[in-house]
Amino acid sequence: MRRASAAVAVAAALVLVGCAGPSPESVAGGGAGSAPGGTEGGPDPVRTGTPELSVSEVAGGFANPWDVGVLPDGRVLVTERDGRLSLLSGATAGASVTPVDADFSDLLAEGEGGLLGMVVHPDFAQTRLFTTCQTHVEGGTPTDVRLVTWELSADGAAASRVADPLLGGLPINPSGRHSGCRPTLAADGALLVGTGDTARGAIPQDLSSLGGKVLRVDLATGGPVEGNPFADADDPAQRLIYTYGHRNVQGVAVDADGEVWTAEHGPSTDDEVNLLRPGGNYGWDPSQGGTVGGYDESVPMTDLDRFPDAVPAAWSSGSPVEALSGAAFLDGGQWGDLDGTLVVGALRGEKLLFMTPQGAAVAEVAVPEALDGTYGRLRAVRLAPDGALLVSTSNGSDDRILRIDPL
């Protein structure tokens, strides 16, 4: 039986990593520079300085929760990699957890594959629709990674498929390796989907394959969106591609200006955060132009020698890698100097990375002490409608959904 736990409030200073940081006064948070709270029913308070953080446990007892989605009434859907879907009574500490009856009998829950990312449709209040990413098996044979659209019943107790698939044909590895698959809504309502290369060398640079890409898809039809960079291509798969040359995209986040950023796993070095440019090649090619077989992970994550026009990373981890996961932008005056910060989870690194974008690069990276190794591996990172950050742990047992607020 899953359990809901009481909140644990933690004050968290930000520790800067490998870069010059703000003044000690702003790192401490709050202080004389902080603006008083707003009036009841008014806009979010605008504050200066870097606030301290409160971390509370919304609910626990999960196994590898992969994504979360907040419904218009404040309840929260949670996907678990092994094929479980749950509904939380809210996004605050002590929420109750109710299993949602949904048929995942055709799910390949293997390795990095299973029930993965999810988006709640923007018209959910009228349609009750949400879309998941999942690895698919037919007759015991792994067939593809696909997007499936579901309708949640009025009482929240069950979900049924209404588009199966919304989009299929994403490549799959029978081991589940490098399955991707993170969907996020763009500012214009298009569905952005970060995919994995399934550890096959030629796929990232192959514009006839949907692996190792970021796709831009119509949420209603699963087809390409007007304005896609390869909209006139003869190949229907290519028409869906927004960017290519990726290894294993785990986080997709959209900033206040509508720009799209991704977080991506590197091999033994150089996890990357990338700012996407339509039609851009991000330079991962473990086939070395088809000259080697297998999956040569000694090549650079962004191979500027082979692809001089490839888009350089906005940030790379160097060595060791952090195993980046979900990503989201903080948004709202209550976040003070953190407003507009890109927050990225880390699996191997067991931390949250707070990144300050500057142009096409990341100028600063900081790690809150309260989220540095405290909860283990961190996977989902989503911003709730009220501005709180929801984060899932991914340790394999007794995993938790955490809520992070500014104090």
Side-chain angles (χ1 to χ4, degrees), residues 142-164:
T143 55
D144 61 3
V145 179
R146 55 179 51 189
L147 298 167
V148 176
T149 297
W150 303 77
E151 181 181 354
L152 187 69
S153 63
D155 62 3
S160 56
R161 303 186 191 204
V162 297
D164 181 19

Side-chain angles (χ1 to χ4, degrees), residues 346-347 349-351 371-378 393-395 400:
L347 297 164
E350 299 187 350
K351 61 173 70 81
L371 292 152
D372 187 1
T374 311
Y375 297 97
R377 294 159 59 87
L378 304 178
T393 71
S394 189
N395 299 309
R400 295 172 261 183

